[in-house]
Amino acid sequence: MPNFFYQFNFYLFGLIAIASALLFVTRKSPVAAALWLVNVMFALAALYVMLDAHFVGVVQIIVYAGAIMVVFLFVVMLLNLGDPKEISDVSGKWGRLAAGLVGLALIAQIMTLARSSAPPSLVQPPDRVADDLKALNALGTIAKPLFGEYLLAFEVTSLLLLVAIVGAVVLGRRRAAS
Amino acid sequence: MRFDLSRPFDLAMAMSPDLFLFVGAMALLLWSAIGRDGAAHQRRIGVAAIAVAAATLLLVVAASTRGWSAGPGIVAVDGFRWAADLVFLVGAIIAIAMSLDYNAREAIFAAEAHVLILLATGGMMLMVASRDLMMLFLGIETMSIAVYILTGIDRRSPRAAEGALKYFLLGAFSTAFFLYGIALIYGATGATNFQVISERIVALKLEQTPMLLVGVALLLVGFGFKMAAAPFHMWAPDVYEGAPTPITAFMAASVKAAAFAAFLRVWLAALGGVYAQWHDAIWWLSAITMCVGNIVALQQRNLKRMIAYSSVGHTGFILVAVASGTTQSAAAFLFYLVAYTFAIMGAFAVIVALGSPGAPRERIDDYNGLWFVRPGMAIAMAVFMLAMLGFPVFGGMGFFAKWYVLQAALQASAPQTRLAVLLVLTTTISAGYYLYVVMAMFMKPRPEGADQLPPTNGLSRFIIAASAGIILIFGVFPDPVARWTRTGVDLVPLAPQVEPNFTQSAVAR
């Protein structure tokens, strides 16, 4: 066993993530479900950190567990849909069956992918990321390609968000008296 | 001039038309937010938006004559990009011009509507320019989000709201497929750049790795949604029917053209190495789409729905060109997009011009005897219908569009004979509904007590006459457009011809 501490952490956070995800989809109350989803996000962040992706781990906590889930909860509270027993998004036997089949297909796919192996020339040396982290530290490894090679993509992302914001305002504002 | 895309200035120059469009759109966005909402403000912004699009068009023409090219990087600078940009921009200009009157009539005073068309067009230009899966995704999303909003821009119409929600949910769903596909392709090849992907597929013999196969399949599903290819076309009729008519025209012409152009580039530039394996999938996609679109269109009695299904059929016809996979078929593909854009835009312009507030006149029965009250409109509509059918002479460019696709399919190194036969058969089926509209306009009597048609103003008349004129003139003299499409594909980094076993030339560019 290469590293007992690593293995232990992997199984610990993996099991927490799976258990929280199961609780997330089985809770009737939307607020409880959302909070379990936060737990999934935290466990995933821990897994990212273990993969030497420190920055992604932190962003996962700030953006997903923090910002997006808060917005989820806001929406749930503002909409105030009433008794959770009356709302169900998967309706009837066939809906559940179809969803189950899609889930099975995805599991089969992950199994297939896990068995496939990459050609040796694409496999990175195990300490490659660690060396990068030492040389550029966690932010530098992300920032260099982001503001270099992918600068244009980065800027286009801001345009994409602008379009979405404009859309929300246009569709959401009160109609001017005509 | 050859750009070194790692230098910011060169990158900015390579993207100059796109940047100009976006800067113009943002300036207009500010202006539209400052002014008071109303018919006059809406019209001012619309005219300015047309001016921005026209200026971008001139920039694109200027760029295309400079012979620019670029080194490795995340954007492509080639004739295919400029040619496709021209098609999108012409579509955007016509759509905004149609919206000017339509929005005033239907009391859609959100001036941002015109700006959103510009932003969607910018997204399309990014899509066709991208040479990297990440850029491609950002372009697709910029376009799609703008179009979701445009679909629901008429907030008093429950049908528009239904269409927008459906489009948004299914679009988000297809985006998930698309992203998953990108992730798996990245996992299999370790790259998102088209050129690197195609090099690695050939050099490392990745054709049969399960990760790449699943990734490509998911990418195909994602594109299928955007192109409205059967069986991923389910959203199209409801969305096309619910959206404001000028936006329907924009979706049916430009959005679809953009999805196709990006699809062609990804398929030939990045996945050229696995083309032989995927040929069958595209073959079936094309065959099913041609049959479903054209057969279901026969049953439609609403003109917008009918054109929606017929545009699904056109997706199948264009996929025949993709399935042939040669330089010649890429040229035929561009020619088809030009003819199809004008025919769709013209047909919807007629629908917009004949509607009035509270009476959209979208049923085919509303066109009975149009010839007796509005001969000009009836003739123009007949030209558009015949162009979509691909009728010789009277269908103008439409005939040559189908002819070039057929020719490309039959002259490909692996001739697509069965697809060509299917294309001809389904075209014959499509005559059933296109000619029905023509027959209704010219041979059926105008029903007693049919309400007066509204007067058509100069702008609509100009759009309709210009579209019909272009279709007819280039139908008699197709050579200039055909030559232009051939120079357009000269620079596409085309994969080798579809041959059973090919090797290194996939990475020629």
Side-chain angles (χ1 to χ4, degrees):
Chain A
M1 207 163 275
N3 185 337
F4 174 73
F5 181 64
Y6 189 92
Q7 294 271 332
F8 173 77
N9 275 336
F10 171 77
Y11 284 109
L12 176 69
F13 288 113
L15 285 176
I16 292 179
I18 293 175
S20 308
L22 281 176
L23 286 166
F24 159 58
V25 290
T26 48
R27 292 308 90 185
K28 284 274 186 236
S29 152
V31 176
L35 289 174
W36 280 115
L37 187 56
V38 174
N39 220 21
V40 179
M41 301 294 181
F42 270 116
L44 287 182
L47 291 177
Y48 289 146
V49 171
M50 287 170 63
L51 286 169
D52 278 339
H54 303 160
F55 182 72
V56 180
V58 173
V59 166
Q60 169 83 7
I61 290 178
I62 295 176
V63 174
Y64 282 90
I68 291 183
M69 290 316 302
V70 170
V71 174
F72 264 17
L73 288 177
F74 262 126
V75 170
V76 170
M77 282 191 275
L78 287 179
L79 283 184
N80 198 11
L81 290 173
D83 192 10
K85 284 194 197 69
E86 289 163 19
I87 31 173
S88 171
D89 44 354
V90 180
S91 48
K93 190 173 56 178
W94 292 109
R96 279 163 205 271
L97 197 66
L101 283 178
V102 172
L104 280 181
L106 285 175
I107 288 179
Q109 187 194 329
I110 289 175
M111 293 298 184
T112 326
L113 293 182
R115 289 154 60 98
S116 70
S117 59
S121 59
L122 285 184
V123 177
Q124 310 230 333
D127 45 358
R128 152 90 204 280
V129 184
D131 287 351
D132 272 6
L133 278 178
K134 241 174 250 152
L136 291 164
N137 68 47
L139 282 181
T141 42
I142 299 267
K144 254 189 103 166
L146 187 61
F147 295 108
E149 195 183 346
Y150 294 105
L151 177 65
L152 186 66
F154 178 76
E155 297 295 342
V156 169
T157 312
S158 64
L159 268 174
L160 170 62
L161 294 178
L162 177 76
V163 174
I165 294 169
V166 170
V169 172
V170 168
L171 293 182
R173 76 173 163 201
R174 201 169 287 133
R175 210 158 51 82
S178 44
Chain B
M1 188 175 173
R2 193 172 167 80
F3 294 121
D4 173 11
L5 294 179
S6 59
R7 288 181 16 216
F9 179 75
D10 279 18
L11 184 62
M13 279 302 283
M15 298 303 291
S16 48
D18 312 56
L19 290 179
F20 177 83
L21 182 71
F22 276 121
V23 170
M26 273 188 265
L28 285 183
L29 205 55
L30 272 182
W31 187 16
S32 63
I34 290 168
R36 237 179 93 80
D37 271 4
H41 186 53
Q42 180 266 124
R43 177 170 287 274
R44 269 197 301 274
I45 299 287
V47 172
I50 293 179
V52 169
T56 314
L57 192 91
L58 291 180
L59 269 180
V60 170
V61 171
S64 68
T65 55
R66 289 291 173 82
W68 284 349
S69 65
I74 64 174
V75 291
V77 180
D78 55 25
F80 183 68
R81 172 179 164 199
W82 307 128
D85 279 356
L86 286 183
V87 176
F88 308 151
L89 284 165
V90 167
I93 291 174
I94 302 179
I96 298 174
M98 274 198 258
S99 308
L100 282 180
D101 288 329
Y102 184 87
N103 288 8
R105 189 174 83 204
E106 303 289 327
I108 302 171
F109 291 140
E112 287 85 356
H114 305 301
V115 186
L116 283 169
I117 295 184
L118 284 187
L119 289 170
T121 313
M124 294 172 194
M125 290 170 67
L126 290 176
M127 279 164 75
V128 73
S130 57
R131 211 161 42 172
D132 190 289
L133 288 172
M134 277 199 260
M135 272 298 287
L136 173 69
F137 174 73
L138 289 170
I140 288 186
E141 281 307 284
T142 308
M143 172 192 83
S144 302
I145 291 181
V147 176
Y148 302 149
I149 300 158
L150 285 167
T151 307
I153 198 97
D154 185 1
R155 287 180 39 215
R156 278 159 308 159
S157 159
R159 291 234 314 278
E162 185 200 332
L165 192 66
K166 209 172 244 179
Y167 195 19
F168 173 67
L169 289 178
L170 283 174
F173 198 56
S174 78
T175 296
F177 276 102
F178 198 85
L179 263 185
Y180 202 7
I182 290 180
L184 291 179
I185 291 176
Y186 177 68
T189 62
T192 53
N193 189 294
F194 293 173
Q195 201 180 350
V196 182
I197 291 175
S198 82
E199 279 167 8
R200 289 202 180 151
I201 289 176
V202 175
L204 304 174
K205 304 221 177 347
L206 296 172
E207 293 93 343
Q208 297 294 347
T209 46
M211 202 180 280
L212 186 71
L213 289 179
V214 178
V216 175
L218 291 172
L219 205 64
L220 189 62
V221 173
F223 269 121
F225 268 107
K226 294 288 172 218
M227 295 185 294
F232 313 112
H233 68 288
M234 295 305 186
W235 56 272
D238 290 335
V239 174
Y240 284 12
E241 192 189 352
T245 312
I247 303 305
T248 310
F250 185 61
M251 282 194 281
S254 302
V255 171
K256 192 169 269 202
F260 264 115
F263 180 64
L264 192 74
R265 194 192 282 282
V266 173
W267 226 247
L268 299 184
L271 304 172
V274 282
Y275 196 93
Q277 276 107 343
W278 286 96
H279 178 254
D280 280 354
I282 297 182
W283 195 98
W284 279 105
L285 200 63
S286 167
I288 296 172
T289 308
M290 282 194 278
C291 295
V292 169
N294 286 307
I295 291 171
V296 182
L298 278 176
Q299 306 160 352
Q300 305 304 319
R301 283 296 161 263
N302 176 306
L303 202 54
K304 271 168 94 175
R305 267 188 105 79
M306 187 204 93
I307 297 181
Y309 275 109
S310 91
S311 87
V312 172
H314 283 287
T315 302
F317 297 148
I318 300 176
L319 279 172
V320 173
V322 179
S324 313
T326 59
T327 320
Q328 191 190 8
S329 72
F333 162 89
L334 275 177
F335 191 97
Y336 203 109
L337 285 190
V338 176
Y340 171 76
T341 300
F342 280 114
I344 285 274
M345 284 291 176
F348 279 111
V350 171
I351 299 177
V352 169
L354 293 181
S356 47
R361 300 202 182 81
E362 288 165 4
R363 285 174 307 132
I364 298 179
D365 292 345
D366 293 328
Y367 288 75
N368 286 352
L370 187 67
W371 163 251
F372 303 108
V373 281
R374 285 292 170 77
M377 285 284 185
I379 290 175
M381 192 63 163
V383 168
F384 300 134
M385 288 294 143
L386 294 175
M388 283 194 252
L389 171 60
F391 198 81
V393 185
F394 298 109
M397 282 174 89
F399 170 71
F400 285 99
K402 282 211 173 121
W403 174 250
Y404 289 143
V405 169
L406 269 179
Q407 210 178 20
L410 293 174
Q411 291 177 358
S413 45
Q416 309 295 318
T417 319
R418 277 178 297 168
L419 272 187
V421 170
L422 204 56
L423 191 153
V424 173
L425 279 180
T426 47
T427 300
T428 320
I429 296 174
S430 74
Y433 54 89
Y434 288 132
L435 291 183
Y436 179 78
V437 177
V438 177
M439 191 270 290
M441 288 190 301
F442 287 89
M443 292 175 182
K444 284 198 179 169
R446 191 82 190 146
E448 294 287 323
D451 36 346
Q452 278 286 312
L453 292 172
T456 315
N457 68 10
L459 184 62
S460 311
R461 237 182 276 161
F462 174 75
I463 297 171
I464 295 166
S467 304
I470 287 171
I471 289 175
L472 287 177
I473 290 170
F474 289 118
V476 181
F477 308 104
D479 286 342
V481 184
R483 214 176 308 124
W484 173 73
T485 56
R486 276 198 295 274
T487 57
V489 292
D490 259 1
L491 291 162
V492 200
L494 273 173
Q497 324 278 302
V498 201
E499 277 156 27
N501 43 13
F502 42 83
T503 47
Q504 285 304 319
S505 53
V507 293
R509 292 186 69 91

